[in-house]
Amino acid sequence: MASGPIVLVLGGGAREHAIVRALERSPQRPRIVCAPGNAGIAREVGVVTSLDPCDPEAVCAFAREHRAELVVVGPEAPLVAGVADALSAAGIPCFGPGREGARLEGSKAFCKEVMLAAGVPTAAYSVVTEPEAGLAAIERYPVVIKADGLAAGKGVIIAADETQARAALEDLLVAHRFGTEQVVVEEHLQGEELSLLALCDGETALPLASAQDYKRIFDGDEGPNTGGMGSYSPVPGVGDERARAICAAVHQPVLEELARRGIPFHGVLYAGLMMAPDGGFGVLEFNVRFGDPETQAILPRLRSDLLALLQSATQPGGLADAAAHGLEWDPRSAVTVVLASAGYPESSRSGDRISGLDGLDGQVEVTHAGTADDDSGSIVTAGGRVLSVTALGTDAAAARAAAYAGAERIEFDGRQMRSDIALRAT
Ligand SMILES: Nc1ncnc2c1ncn2[C@@H]1O[C@H](COP(=O)(O)OP(=O)(O)O)[C@@H](O)[C@H]1O
Ligand SMILES: [Mg+2]
């Protein structure tokens, strides 16, 4: 029986399932509770479906009542809602930044301003409140237009010409499509995207292994954006040393800039980068939490004790030792393939029975997102992204083959998956 620290994990996606699994591997034998969790997480640890992770009072009351020694926040919404602020006021260690730090993700304009102050390489930009001012700020096409607020991955438009730019600016600033008052107009960068996440303790940023995700629904990066259809780790050419160099130029200065402003950042600082062919790079955005689906590919490779790292990150300077020694990684590659339901991303169909979850190869790890138990005890679809299927392999090609072999065995009506995840790494 687990007898170690009581840990509350907030969220209910495959990312949180991967976090729960990694915490369970801790030699501290934590007792984990997840809210709201999902059907897959509920098979492994306790879940509390009635707790709203975005209600700071309710989360504090629950954490206090159950004597949680650590709260790990998965998604951004609870952070933006101030859950970490409420927990720290109550003296409960929380892995995840307060509301001010979460503005890095919640406001693209704030994010750009912090990067500029911190000297982090990023695309040239202007912040505008009127379409005409936006058009006047454009020097060449394509240009990138970003709503200044959380927009569920739909607030970024790459405009090929003036007609498209005008339409986007009017949609955001006149029709107020995402309720934003301002937009960021920025230079379009070329290259390959990279996700580099770092654990932060307010002072020190400690990079995790590199990863890449796939946001579009169809092969070849076609079709609408999704929450993420797959990922892999590590990215060829971005090993430990390169990750540390990028972190020193990107995450560390941002962390220090926030600290100068009196914003201690404890949690994951996730940089979305564009890597140019010449080796240069620019930061596209920051997120303030673990990435989904990157986490499903990164954490199965982590050999260090995730629980100890997250505990340390809640203390100012707590990660200094870990940063000096570096993290331990499984040298193998990991590939994650996401299975989505019929209609996704425009809609999602619920209630399709899922088969093939039992008897998968031992090297295949399935994490749940939109799943539920039906009345007969079968697992059915209950959301857009349904499952993540991850496999390790000696190289990306082997991991990819194993992940797809596992994914093919899991069936449900309307199942959607991309067939080209990690192909570029092989
Ligand atoms: N300056 C840029 N140059 C080229 N592509 C960009 C740029 N900014 C964003 N993008 C593209 O748009 C996507 C979404 O932008 P991002 O800033 O990550 O916003 P969000 O994830 O909040 O939707 C990126 O993953 C990238 O593909
Ligand atoms: Mg992004």
Side-chain angles (χ1 to χ4, degrees):
M1 264 306 283
S3 56
I6 298 168
V7 181
L8 170 62
V9 177
L10 298 180
R15 163 183 53 205
E16 287 75 23
H17 200 170
I19 291 170
V20 165
R21 288 246 176 93
L23 291 173
E24 281 201 295
R25 290 192 285 272
S26 167
Q28 301 181 58
R29 305 172 72 84
R31 288 166 284 176
I32 301 169
V33 185
C34 186
N38 60 42
I41 296 173
R43 279 169 169 67
E44 291 159 35
V45 300
V47 299
V48 191
T49 52
S50 58
L51 178 61
D52 175 3
C54 289
D55 181 341
E57 293 302 303
V59 170
C60 274
F62 183 91
R64 209 181 284 120
E65 188 185 331
H66 292 84
R67 300 195 165 78
E69 286 147 271
L70 175 69
V71 177
V72 180
V73 184
E76 62 276 16
L79 300 168
V80 171
V83 162
D85 306 272
L87 286 165
S88 71
I92 301 163
C94 175
F95 182 80
R99 204 189 265 124
E100 281 296 304
R103 284 183 68 216
L104 273 187
E105 177 162 357
S107 166
K108 300 273 189 212
F110 177 70
C111 182
K112 295 294 280 191
E113 190 259 310
V114 170
M115 282 197 265
L116 202 65
V120 169
T122 188
Y125 76 106
S126 311
V127 178
V128 300
T129 56
E130 307 283 350
E132 289 310 322
L135 289 170
I138 297 171
E139 283 179 10
R140 68 182 71 82
Y141 292 93
V143 69
V144 185
I145 297 174
K146 301 185 172 184
D148 181 45
L150 291 181
K154 298 196 171 85
V156 174
I157 300 102
I158 301 191
D161 54 33
E162 191 181 327
T163 311
Q164 290 180 8
R166 183 181 294 278
L169 288 163
E170 286 179 353
D171 191 31
L172 297 176
L173 290 172
V174 182
H176 295 290
R177 173 116 176 270
F178 298 104
T180 52
E181 298 300 323
Q182 51 183 15
V183 305
V184 172
V185 176
E186 75 178 37
E187 173 199 3
H188 183 261
L189 302 180
Q190 306 279 351
E192 276 278 322
E193 284 182 57
L194 173 76
S195 300
L196 189 66
L197 286 61
L199 304 177
C200 297
D201 66 5
E203 297 171 11
T204 307
L206 173 56
L208 297 175
S210 62
Q212 198 163 44
D213 75 341
Y214 292 76
K215 281 282 176 253
R216 304 296 186 103
I217 184 79
F218 300 129
D219 283 8
D221 294 327
E222 300 282 345
N225 262 325
T226 69
M229 294 299 292
S231 62
Y232 63 91
S233 171
V235 174
V238 193
D240 280 0
E241 210 169 303
R242 182 101 171 97
R244 268 200 300 274
I246 296 169
C247 182
V250 170
H251 304 72
Q252 188 63 37
V254 164
L255 196 58
E256 288 169 13
E257 176 61 26
L258 290 175
R260 268 194 291 278
R261 298 178 185 208
I263 308 172
F265 190 102
H266 300 267
V268 171
L269 196 50
Y270 161 148
L273 298 130
M274 190 69 89
M275 311 299 286
D278 68 2
F281 58 82
V283 176
L284 302 180
E285 66 160 347
F286 281 107
N287 294 317
V288 298
R289 33 81 191 168
F290 282 106
D292 186 338
E294 290 95 328
T295 302
Q296 293 92 301
I298 292 172
L299 291 185
R301 300 187 53 236
L302 181 67
R303 285 186 173 158
S304 307
D305 178 358
L306 180 68
L307 176 56
L309 290 166
L310 302 191
Q311 287 169 320
S312 300
T314 67
Q315 307 300 323
L319 287 171
D321 268 4
H325 293 105
L327 298 174
E328 261 192 80
W329 296 98
D330 188 321
R332 291 177 295 170
S333 291
V335 172
T336 297
V337 177
V338 170
L339 308 185
S341 68
Y344 185 70
E346 284 79 17
S347 63
S348 65
R349 196 165 75 200
S350 295
D352 290 310
R353 186 170 296 186
I354 304 169
S355 67
L357 285 171
D358 297 321
L360 289 167
D361 192 311
Q363 66 175 334
V364 175
E365 180 173 327
V366 178
T367 45
H368 289 228
T371 61
D373 291 295
D374 74 359
D375 295 340
S376 66
S378 311
I379 294 191
V380 297
T381 63
R385 291 189 301 156
V386 179
L387 299 161
S388 284
V389 182
T390 299
L392 293 166
T394 46
D395 57 18
R400 185 177 132 74
Y404 273 107
E408 289 290 356
R409 293 191 50 161
I410 301 170
E411 292 185 52
F412 50 89
D413 280 352
R415 182 193 73 184
Q416 301 191 72
M417 71 173 152
R418 280 180 62 155
S419 70
D420 62 348
I421 304 302
L423 195 53
R424 63 167 84 102
T426 61

